[in-house]
Amino acid sequence: MRKIFILYAIALIFLFPVSQADPNQAMERGYRAAQAGRWEEAIEAFDEARRTGNVRQSPQILLNLALAYDHAPGRLLTAASWYQAYLAVSPDASNAGQVAKRIEELVQAFDERMLHTIWNVEEKVAEFGPESGDSVEKALGDVEAARIYMGHTENATEKLFLLSSPSGENSHFMQVALAKASTGEITQAKQLMVDMSPQEVIQRKLDSAYKSHTQLQRAFRTCNDPAGRWMEIALRTQVMHRGIPVDAPAFTEFVQATSPVELAENAHAIWRLAKMRQRYHVIARSCRP
């Protein structure tokens, strides 16, 4: 009988494991790390508190996470997103005004640095020249598409013709056209590709991108769970920020690619981050308090 009881108890342990994680302990570790200026360690600790605690009942967790990202280099959009999540959970907080102001500063700084980076990559594309092959073409398409996602559509097509080739596929035109379609500019996107072929395939891709845009707009129109939306953006951007030191001194080296292949990789990383910036903008517009 005792043997049966022991086996039953072991089974219960596997079915209902005792949680070893304590959000309070994680918060304490985060505080100690923050006081010592170890911001990466503080981020890990506060993120553990977020995963194991209840942020809707303890919004201070979100604020601490935002503050840690704010102090860590290269995490501007991630910090802004966690601040947004904090305000969504605790809109009447006594520091709401200060937090809202800090969000504006972070987003403005992020946009300025991203646009400056796009300009640097464009300069590097011109330096390598069209004879450098497909990698440079892809880099140009990515950064001009990134410019569109950042909301600067007026100059996004001018530099495309620097690498335009009558005999080439001009895939960088397609990248920009898809960006235009995915931000709602379907007419301009189709005009950009009017001389390209095969037209049926191109039109189908552009229509699909535009459909994704309308679905995104529709999904965020009601904004039933602002905190959840902001936490989703924060989690995605914190992954994308890795390896892209947007406000660190090392960022100058990041954009100074030594080969066309490296330039294309860096440009694509910027493209991904700019696309997330567009998603941030959609949520900020739809989830206003």
Side-chain angles (χ1 to χ4, degrees):
M1 183 68 180
R2 183 180 178 184
K3 184 177 181 180
I4 295 174
F5 177 79
I6 292 173
L7 291 174
Y8 177 70
I10 293 173
L12 284 178
I13 291 173
F14 281 102
L15 286 173
F16 307 102
V18 178
S19 175
Q20 300 298 318
D22 183 346
N24 293 325
Q25 291 182 2
M27 288 281 277
E28 286 298 325
R29 290 201 309 276
Y31 287 138
R32 289 195 296 271
Q35 289 171 353
R38 300 192 302 271
W39 296 110
E40 295 296 335
E41 186 179 330
I43 286 171
E44 291 183 10
F46 291 139
D47 196 48
E48 180 183 326
R50 175 193 63 81
R51 295 193 309 269
T52 59
N54 188 329
V55 296
R56 296 177 190 272
Q57 293 181 1
S58 303
Q60 186 67 31
I61 296 174
L62 296 174
L63 180 60
N64 289 336
L65 194 52
L67 288 166
Y69 271 109
D70 198 344
H71 283 83
R75 314 297 178 85
L76 300 172
L77 198 60
T78 304
S81 300
W82 284 121
Y83 279 132
Q84 291 276 21
Y86 167 72
L87 289 183
V89 173
S90 186
D92 299 323
S94 59
N95 60 352
Q98 292 174 296
V99 172
K101 182 180 179 181
R102 183 55 184 157
I103 290 171
E104 290 181 8
E105 293 171 348
L106 286 167
V107 174
Q108 182 179 351
F110 175 84
D111 288 354
E112 289 174 354
R113 287 161 186 170
M114 281 288 285
L115 290 171
H116 182 67
T117 302
I118 289 170
W119 180 83
N120 282 337
V121 175
E122 290 169 345
E123 290 292 300
K124 205 67 179 176
V125 165
E127 182 182 320
F128 281 118
E131 65 277 4
S132 298
D134 294 342
S135 292
V136 173
E137 182 179 295
K138 185 178 184 305
L140 181 61
D142 274 341
V143 294
E144 296 312 307
R147 184 183 288 280
I148 292 171
Y149 288 127
M150 295 295 296
H152 291 253
T153 62
E154 63 279 359
N155 300 320
T157 58
E158 293 178 2
K159 289 186 172 60
L160 292 180
F161 295 95
L162 293 174
L163 297 183
S164 181
S165 170
S167 59
E169 295 183 1
N170 293 317
S171 60
H172 53 309
F173 279 83
M174 173 59 84
Q175 288 166 278
V176 172
L178 287 171
K180 282 183 172 291
S182 66
T183 55
E185 298 182 19
I186 186 65
T187 302
Q188 296 90 325
K190 290 184 176 180
Q191 287 175 347
L192 186 61
M193 302 300 296
V194 69
D195 295 328
M196 305 297 172
S197 61
Q199 272 294 308
E200 288 185 7
V201 174
I202 290 172
Q203 297 292 333
R204 188 162 58 248
K205 287 183 177 180
L206 295 179
D207 287 337
S208 176
Y210 180 69
K211 183 179 179 181
S212 298
H213 161 74
T214 55
Q215 288 174 341
L216 179 65
Q217 297 286 332
R218 194 179 303 116
F220 292 129
R221 192 168 295 157
T222 54
C223 196
N224 294 326
D225 182 16
R229 299 291 191 192
W230 284 119
M231 283 189 273
E232 174 194 347
I233 291 294
L235 290 169
R236 289 190 181 191
T237 55
Q238 72 184 36
V239 172
M240 290 183 182
H241 267 315
R242 292 171 188 166
I244 309 178
V246 177
D247 63 348
F251 192 57
T252 303
E253 299 177 8
F254 172 77
V255 296
Q256 295 300 317
T258 58
S259 71
V261 173
E262 185 182 358
L263 179 67
E265 291 174 351
N266 292 354
H268 191 63
I270 297 300
W271 172 85
R272 292 174 64 234
L273 205 50
K275 194 169 184 180
M276 190 54 61
R277 170 65 178 93
Q278 182 222 5
R279 197 176 182 90
Y280 178 103
H281 175 72
V282 171
I283 296 178
R285 189 177 57 201
S286 304
C287 297
R288 287 174 181 162

